[in-house]
Amino acid sequence: MTRFPSYRDPILFGKMQSNTLNFVFGLTIGLVFAYVGISYMTGPPTPWPTQMRYVATEDQETKLRSPLRSFLTHEDLEKIRAIVQPIEFMDAHVHNDDDKEARRLEKEIRVLCWVMTSPENLESKAKHVRSTWARRCNKLLFISSVTNKTFPAIGIDVPEGRDHLTAKTMKAFKYIYEHHMDDADWFMKADDDTYVILENLRYFLSSQNTNEPIYFGHHFKTIVKQGYFSGGAGYVLSKESMRRFGAHGSNETVCRQDGGAEDAEFGKCMENLGVKVGNSTDKLGRSRFHCFDPDTHLMGGYPDWYYQYDAHGAKKGRESISDYAISFHYVPVDKMYAMEFYIYHLRPYGIESGKQELNQGRSS
Amino acid sequence: MTRTKTRFMFGLIFAYVAISYMTGHLTPRPTLMRSLKNGNQETQLSSEWRSFLTHLETIRALLRFDEFTDAHLKNEDDEARRLESEVRVLCWIMTSPKNLDSRATAVRRTWARRCNKLLFISSVTNETFPTIGIELPEGRDHLTGKTIKAFKYIYEHHIDDADWFMKADDDTYVILENLRYFLSGQNSNEPIFFGHHFKTIVKQGYFSGGAGYVLSKEALRRFGAKGNDETICRQDGGAEDAEFGKCMETLGVKVGNSTDKLGRNRFHCFDPDTHLMGGYPDWYYQYDANGAKKGRDSISDYTISFHYVTPEKMNALEFYIYHLRPYGLKSGKQELNQDWGS
């Protein structure tokens, strides 16, 4: 007869009891561990600003624990690129738009846009840049590490990667100085996730003098004495700035040739060449170049570092963005088509967008 | 000793696995998904990038946004103002007590202030907001009842306040100027209503509830006269938009065609990005009466409505539609209305 443990059998019962006890004990500890562990991984529900710890410039983003961010980063854009197909807008013939003024400015203020891209981004990002905003540039160049005749993209002999963005920028401007100085009056650098409204860029530049040593963009007040401009938001150089860069830009003592954060290094370079940071805010004090996507600026979901960097008080909301905004950054490709739609197509019937006088006097 | 240790570890692991399942961390599907209900179906969109964007929007929804000051210099809106006095629109927003602070507030601060008359209909009366309380419990099972009672209330109290009567959700975004432009080519004494046309369930089709639909005065009169008859209009239960569609059909109210001259939709049951990119759920291809087009072909320049618009997206749409513009491009008046009414 098998012996079942019973209270009359002290040894076996004792053993079973201690086994159960151990199991229960383990269960309890396990529950506690699991609860703590999972709570830690999902992040405590503290208000989001305290959880954002972005370090240094955009070039050295370091993401920390929490997924509770409300702005987009390059990694996010990688995830979003999957199912985008180009959208053709083919209804210009019914628009009845009066674009005389825009066309006049297009002839008078020639802008050369160079878009920093890479071989693997040609089809996934640069192509959409080309079919949306960039076709409004007077001259458009895609600068990559490898020449691609069909796209076309110009190959600068620089390895890909964040460590060489400075070299890419230096060499790109050098190339433009050597080959395209006469093609334009202003020279703009943008990324392949920047969205630029060319009409508004020309409107702003119409109040500026391209023979001054000056350049414009989204102003950061740190690192460089006069501040510098965010690379992703795009920055635009006057002809005089290009001349000075062409003359002395290859001198290592004046401009660092590689390494560091591209926009900060270029900013130091400009300062050394005597090129001034220009003010591009409009008459109501609102920004025109933007280093984040529109929703982030509207909502104010900024990372902590932005409050130390932005030279105009890190404002947010609709009042902080000019009606004639020029650029946004971290724009995923599907959003580029959406912006084309919002800016050039979707409109409220019966409201004529008047010509607003938003430029300030001469800026410096 | 080892045996007790084993049992201890076993307990530990068991507990961890149990907690993980309970909190959903081991499940393979993204934990945030969009749930769409239409007709009697509930279909979940589980595409990864869409759930990622939903996550982003959820976070953003926690942030508050500023009032618009509409500081425009030199806008010419004579035409829009003329239409505002000629084509009076009453908007009623279906909301609930828990959505007042977030969604209903966003609606009120953004597009709904352009309505000639604005009513928020909830299950509970709130004097301060203000909302009108329809005595029905909250929840999907009573949306039909809410709609029927809301229109009844409007028929009894507000039929003279407007020429057209629009229903919208608290996550619908409506461009009133474009609604008036479209309605300026229609006759409010016809028994007709307009919205995003679904061709299923009802013989003549019906309109998506979330995209918003707008009734003519005659349609509202007919509803007011006979809408409380259970044999004509189901009083509660079922899918609100489909049941209301059957009700309209029984009353002899026709579904109107609101596509523009280039065949593009003006009412939309999804948000703008979905229509532009065509990330539609499967059921949409069986439901949409206009070919489930995507991209440029699906959205009129004088679009009227979008659905599933979060409060922060409403803020963004206000910015894009009424503020951000290219200098030197005066948007001309397009002739996009068709010549025939239905």
Side-chain angles (χ1 to χ4, degrees), chain A residues 171-323:
Chain A
K171 289 200 164 183
F173 274 117
K174 187 85 186 171
Y175 174 87
I176 290 165
Y177 172 76
E178 282 164 0
H179 296 95
H180 294 286
M181 270 300 267
D182 296 325
D183 288 343
D185 308 302
W186 296 87
F187 304 82
M188 176 153 191
K189 177 257 176 186
D191 284 348
D192 50 23
D193 56 357
T194 309
Y195 186 93
V196 182
I197 305 169
L198 263 300
E199 290 84 359
N200 294 342
L201 175 61
R202 291 193 184 96
Y203 171 64
F204 168 64
L205 294 175
S206 69
S207 69
Q208 305 298 324
N209 179 358
T210 196
N211 290 317
E212 268 186 57
I214 198 168
Y215 73 137
F216 303 97
H218 183 143
H219 195 190
F220 286 160
K221 61 188 179 191
T222 54
I223 299 179
V224 183
K225 186 151 166 283
Q226 65 172 358
Y228 69 100
F229 294 130
S230 153
Y235 45 80
V236 52
L237 271 61
S238 68
K239 207 158 207 172
E240 176 59 25
S241 314
M242 284 294 292
R243 279 188 213 112
R244 292 190 184 199
F245 178 83
H248 304 288
S250 302
N251 185 338
E252 179 71 47
T253 55
V254 180
C255 297
R256 183 169 175 182
Q257 298 299 302
D258 199 6
E262 162 250 324
D263 41 13
E265 293 304 329
F266 193 75
K268 287 182 200 157
C269 173
M270 287 285 111
E271 188 176 65
N272 290 344
L273 293 168
V275 174
K276 293 218 282 299
V277 301
N279 181 351
S280 54
T281 55
D282 74 6
K283 210 172 207 164
L284 301 179
R286 304 177 299 192
S287 53
R288 295 196 231 210
F289 292 86
H290 301 93
C291 66
F292 293 113
D293 63 296
D295 292 336
T296 304
H297 283 282
L298 282 169
M299 288 282 100
Y302 298 130
D304 282 347
W305 62 259
Y306 185 67
Y307 296 93
Q308 271 79 59
Y309 274 60
D310 183 60
H312 292 286
K315 296 185 217 156
K316 66 178 185 188
R318 223 277 303 147
E319 292 102 55
S320 73
I321 308 180
S322 177
D323 277 11

